[in-house]
């Protein structure tokens, strides 16, 4: 009888032993990948948990909506609109409330690393719950705006309206619970981009009539801007998400044999950058806060420049492609500074946008490069044998 074997390095064997149950591992193919797991792990756990968790809040939201609709004494309830309570308004309110607390409970229960300090757990949980809930809120606003234009004047009886609220809240709640159960570094990077770019674009759009671009980029966060809190909150939450990404990245890195004092320096740089981004939002470009705001903004770019200059020393194994890209970013930052301060070709607004965009994009790309180094350190060559 022919027996088949998989020859693996001893280091990999020791790592797999930590996951084995009675020296047994299950193997499966998924998305053109081979996964080795503990056989006791139920692969549908996350989906089942998300289904279990969303049923009770969905039913509760439907009952609450029905009671509210019946209490209004209106025979027909509007699908959308603000004349009185509608399916749209209650769906948004209840899904946001239930989703926020549901995300917190699920993340703490299933996705939190217990080796972290309580402060880090609290910061990560609150940051992620607010970020994901805000995104779902924004998506619902857009969705119901389109629905309102499409089904203008549509109404339902209170029971049908309550059931529709149950359905829509269930959909949003399932999305949030699934997100809480599937927090990964790539998802966090996407969340950072979504939060930062989305928040900045909204701030620009709401201040279009005030010609904010004739002042400077930081005008969006001053008291003269329309809803300036959006710009400042975007920066603060982007900083918190960056801190969370840093925790996730270096928690994974610390388990690698490649981890040394140079990567600790990089971690300190990222923490410093996160604080500087937060300070730009906390201290707007006005009155006594102007010096702190400006120094934080310039400090952010300065730290990025320092990281690029010492990149080869900090990460000797960094790819030549990313190193070349980094030096291109450095040259672009220098040229934009000369174009602004030297020959006055660029306005202050354009210079700020270019510098911040380059620095922010490079920081995210550097995180992806570090992830690649971690993955390379976790690769082994195996051999298939047949006897």
């Amino acid at each position: 009888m022919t027996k088949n074997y998989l020859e693996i390095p001893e280091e990999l064997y020791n790592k797999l032993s930590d996951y084995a149950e009675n020296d047994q591992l299950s193997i499966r193919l998924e998305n053109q990948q081979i996964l080795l797991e503990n056989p006791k792990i139920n692969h549908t756990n996350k989906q089942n948990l998300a289904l279990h968790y969303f049923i009770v809040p969905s039913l509760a939201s439907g009952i609450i909506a029905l009671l509210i609709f019946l209490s209004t004494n209106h025979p027909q309830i509007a699908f959308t609109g603000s004349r009185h309570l509608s399916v749209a308004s209650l769906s948004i309110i209840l899904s946001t409330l239930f989703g926020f607390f549901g995300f917190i409970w699920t993340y703490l229960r299933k996705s939190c690393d217990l080796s972290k300090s309580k402060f880090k757990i609290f910061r990560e949980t609150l940051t992620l719950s607010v970020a994901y809930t805000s995104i779902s809120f924004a998506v619902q606003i857009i969705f119901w705006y389109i629905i309102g234009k499409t089904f203008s004047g549509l109404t339902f009886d209170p029971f049908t309206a309550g059931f529709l609220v149950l359905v829509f809240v269930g959909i949003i709640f399932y999305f949030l619970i699934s997100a809480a159960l599937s927090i990964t570094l790539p998802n966090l990077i996407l969340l950072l981009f979504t939060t930062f770019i989305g928040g900045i674009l909204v701030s620009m759009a709401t201040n279009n009539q005030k010609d904010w671009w004739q002042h400077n980029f930081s005008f969006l966060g001053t008291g003269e801007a329309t809803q300036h809190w959006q710009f400042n909150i975007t920066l603060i939450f982007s900083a918190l998400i960056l801190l969370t990404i840093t925790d996730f990245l270096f928690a994974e890195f610390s388990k690698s044999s490649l981890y040394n004092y140079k990567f600790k320096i990089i971690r300190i740089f990222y923490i410093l950058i996160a604080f500087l981004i937060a300070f730009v939002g906390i201290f707007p470009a006005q009155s006594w806060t102007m010096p702190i705001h400006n120094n934080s903004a310039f400090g952010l770019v300065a730290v990025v420049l320092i990281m690029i200059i010492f990149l080869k020393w900090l990460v000797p194994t960094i790819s030549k492609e990313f190193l070349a890209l980094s030096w291109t970013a450095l040259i672009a930052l220098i040229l934009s500074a000369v174009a602004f301060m030297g020959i006055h070709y660029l306005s202050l607004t354009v210079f700020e946008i270019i510098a911040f965009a380059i620095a922010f994009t490079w920081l995210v790309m550097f995180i992806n490069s570090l992830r690649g180094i971690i993955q390379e350190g976790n690769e082994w060559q195996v051999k298939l044998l047949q006897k």
Side-chain angles (χ1 to χ4, degrees):
M1 180 179 177
T2 302
K3 292 186 177 181
N4 303 314
Y5 298 89
L6 189 66
E7 186 178 85
I8 63 175
E10 184 176 355
E11 182 183 0
L12 176 58
Y13 173 82
N14 294 332
K15 288 184 177 294
L16 291 177
S17 298
D18 297 332
Y19 296 95
E21 181 71 25
N22 297 324
D23 295 329
Q24 296 290 320
L25 286 169
S26 65
I27 187 168
R28 62 189 173 97
L29 299 177
E30 182 178 301
N31 297 326
Q32 297 183 337
Q33 293 180 330
I34 299 175
L35 303 178
L36 282 170
E37 294 179 333
N38 187 310
K40 285 191 174 182
I41 294 178
N42 184 348
H43 308 309
T44 59
N45 267 351
K46 289 185 177 180
Q47 183 178 357
N48 289 340
L49 286 172
L51 286 171
H52 292 160
Y53 291 165
F54 99 107
I55 291 175
V56 174
S58 300
L59 290 174
S61 64
I63 295 172
I64 293 172
L66 177 60
L67 294 176
I68 293 175
F69 290 149
L70 290 174
S71 66
T72 61
N73 294 321
H74 287 288
Q76 292 293 111
I77 304 298
F79 195 33
T80 61
S82 57
R83 185 179 59 178
H84 50 77
L85 286 177
S86 63
V87 172
S89 60
L90 268 187
S91 295
I92 293 174
I93 294 171
L94 293 176
S95 63
T96 301
L97 290 175
F98 280 116
F100 176 74
F101 293 106
F103 189 101
I104 291 177
W105 184 80
T106 307
Y107 184 75
L108 288 175
R109 184 179 176 86
K110 295 295 178 183
S111 304
C112 220
D113 186 353
L114 297 178
S115 64
K116 296 178 182 178
S117 66
K118 291 183 179 180
F119 175 75
K120 283 186 177 180
I121 292 174
F122 172 78
R123 189 195 71 216
E124 288 180 9
T125 305
L126 187 61
T127 299
L128 295 176
S129 60
V130 171
Y132 275 99
T133 306
S134 299
I135 291 174
S136 70
F137 179 82
V139 170
Q140 288 181 85
I141 293 294
I142 297 172
F143 170 79
W144 285 113
Y145 175 79
I146 296 173
I147 293 296
K149 295 295 183 181
T150 306
F151 299 100
S152 178
L154 181 62
T155 62
F156 299 97
D157 64 88
F159 291 94
T160 303
F163 175 76
L164 289 174
V165 171
L166 182 153
V167 172
F168 286 115
V169 171
I171 292 172
I172 298 300
F173 197 80
Y174 179 76
F175 159 76
L176 290 172
I177 294 302
S178 298
L181 291 169
S182 307
I183 297 295
T184 61
L185 194 56
N187 290 343
L188 290 177
I189 294 174
L190 179 61
L191 177 65
L192 177 61
F193 258 112
T194 304
T195 302
F196 182 78
I197 296 177
I200 295 299
L201 289 178
V202 169
S203 298
M204 290 180 177
T206 54
N207 286 277
N208 185 45
Q209 293 180 344
K210 291 203 170 188
D211 295 333
W212 62 270
W213 46 270
Q214 294 185 8
H215 302 271
N216 52 57
F217 189 56
S218 299
F219 173 83
L220 295 172
T222 64
E224 298 178 31
T226 302
Q227 296 180 334
H228 60 278
W229 61 272
Q230 293 177 346
F231 180 81
N232 296 327
I233 289 296
T234 294
L235 292 177
I236 294 170
F237 264 95
S238 296
L240 290 172
I241 295 172
L242 183 59
L243 278 178
T244 302
I245 290 175
T246 302
D247 291 339
F248 271 73
L249 176 66
F250 288 95
E252 187 177 354
F253 227 136
S254 62
K255 300 174 184 177
S256 170
S257 58
L258 300 174
Y259 192 67
N260 55 35
Y261 74 95
K262 293 181 181 179
F263 289 105
K264 293 181 180 178
I265 294 175
I266 296 174
R267 184 174 192 168
I268 292 172
F269 276 138
Y270 266 100
I271 294 173
L272 177 60
I273 287 169
F275 275 104
L276 290 173
I277 293 175
F279 285 166
V280 172
I282 295 173
F283 302 100
Q286 56 189 24
S287 64
W288 66 272
T289 62
M290 180 70 81
I292 302 177
H293 177 91
N294 289 339
N295 289 330
S296 299
F298 284 116
L300 169 63
V301 177
V303 173
V304 171
L305 291 175
I306 292 172
M307 291 178 70
I308 294 176
I309 292 172
F310 291 97
L311 181 60
K312 187 62 178 176
W313 176 78
L314 290 170
V315 191
T317 58
I318 198 74
S319 67
K320 293 181 180 179
E321 292 78 10
F322 185 75
L323 191 61
L325 179 65
S326 300
W327 282 102
T328 302
L330 176 66
I331 294 172
L333 284 171
I334 294 174
L335 289 178
S336 60
V338 172
F340 166 61
M341 294 182 288
I343 61 177
H344 305 292
Y345 175 74
L346 296 178
S347 66
L348 175 58
T349 303
V350 175
F351 170 67
E352 287 180 327
I353 292 176
I354 291 175
F356 212 78
I358 292 175
F360 182 78
T361 303
W362 183 85
L363 287 171
V364 175
M365 294 181 69
F366 187 34
I367 290 174
N368 278 322
S369 295
L370 293 176
R371 281 187 62 240
I373 293 174
I374 295 174
Q375 292 172 351
E376 289 176 3
N378 289 332
E379 290 183 2
W380 294 271
Q381 296 297 319
V382 300
K383 185 185 294 186
L384 293 174
L385 300 175
Q386 192 177 70
K387 292 183 181 179

